[in-house]
Amino acid sequence: MRLPTAPDGRRGCSALARYTDEQIAGTAGSSSGWLLVEHNGPWRHPGFASPGLDKAVVSQLAERIAGHAVRPQLIKRPGANERTPADGPLRAYLVHTSRTRPWTRRIDFHNLAELLEIDVTAAERPEPPSFGTAVDHTLYLVCTHAKKDPCCAMLGRPVAAALSEGQAEVWETTHVGGDRFAANLVTLPQGVYFGRLDPESAQSTVAAFERGLVLPENYRGRCTDSGSAQAAEAALRAHIVAPVGVNAITHLAEEESEDGVRLTLGHDGGLYSVSVETVEGQECPTTCSALSPTRPVHHRVREIRGGLTRGAAV
């Protein structure tokens, strides 16, 4: 594969996106349910077509989640590969991302067919199922899916390795979206996306998140929100300057206007009005394997007004 090359000589879609300083705010995917399945590889694209997975079982799982808001992901411990021996049972997670009722359930299994015994569509619902073990801490997923995009592997693996030295639960995972923003990190069940991480910024990001704070520099958005809402929150977090809590900014209203979207956000007793417009970005290859460049859609914040006290006109 011939990788895209930035004018400064760096190669890969992520290098080109960094060179042009492409906006990362407002680029998180939209997902309410997640099915994470441990599989050491090798990984192919799509992930659930990877060798070593029972094709009949995968086919049945795919049929069950078809039409449901459940995103399937393969996961593995940082640095693990197909030659890494399994230490006890493998793990699967069902995760529901939500601003109000997020949850995570862990299911241990020895054979993939055991996952057919549970209702994997439960991940799209706010009420957690009775099966599995409740998980009360954050899972950190780093995309390292080389077969999807080499940038994810080249930049993601060092980030996953660095994070594995800490106390947080970290997994490498298959494609999460936004290859050109590698290295990408997703927190579950909160559904917060971070991009353009390196080992140092990733460690700072996770350390802050473990304290309940979001560092705004690498914030892409939250998969529970629209692209406009993600961009608005990212801009407000940068506007406030000091890191604020994961759930410290509340989304109170989102209305279409003549020139875009107008959002009302709340923080620390005040209200903010954020105007967002949708624009075409600069022509670029969105992945290393893109046959031709495209113009990605960006949600650009035009204005932030506030913080007004609650009850005041916005």
Side-chain angles (χ1 to χ4, degrees), residues 297-312:
V297 171
H298 295 308
H299 303 281
R300 180 180 298 164
V301 173
R302 295 172 47 248
E303 181 185 41
I304 299 177
R305 289 196 295 141
L308 305 170
T309 57
R310 292 185 183 272

Side-chain angles (χ1 to χ4, degrees), residues 218-303:
N218 300 92
Y219 181 77
R220 288 181 57 190
R222 198 160 175 167
C223 70
T224 54
D225 305 331
S226 69
S228 295
Q230 293 174 29
E233 180 171 333
L236 181 55
R237 287 185 179 278
H239 178 77
I240 295 171
V241 180
V244 299
V246 177
N247 296 312
I249 294 177
T250 54
H251 291 224
L252 303 175
E254 183 172 345
E255 302 173 329
E256 295 287 339
S257 64
E258 291 184 0
D259 52 1
V261 180
R262 182 171 176 265
L263 295 104
T264 303
L265 306 180
H267 172 64
D268 196 24
L271 296 179
Y272 293 82
S273 177
V274 185
S275 298
V276 183
E277 62 181 353
T278 301
V279 299
E280 278 193 345
Q282 181 176 337
E283 192 174 77
C284 67
T286 54
T287 69
C288 286
S289 59
L291 297 178
S292 59
T294 59
R295 290 187 179 275
V297 171
H298 295 308
H299 303 281
R300 180 180 298 164
V301 173
R302 295 172 47 248
E303 181 185 41

Side-chain angles (χ1 to χ4, degrees), residues 86-123:
D87 182 15
L90 297 172
R91 290 188 181 183
Y93 294 91
L94 283 184
V95 184
H96 180 71
T97 50
S98 166
R99 281 185 169 271
T100 56
R101 300 175 68 183
W103 55 260
T104 303
R105 286 289 188 276
R106 190 188 90 197
I107 300 96
D108 294 340
F109 69 97
H110 292 86
N111 188 302
L112 190 64
E114 295 172 41
L115 299 185
L116 297 175
E117 300 173 7
I118 64 172
D119 179 9
V120 292
T121 68

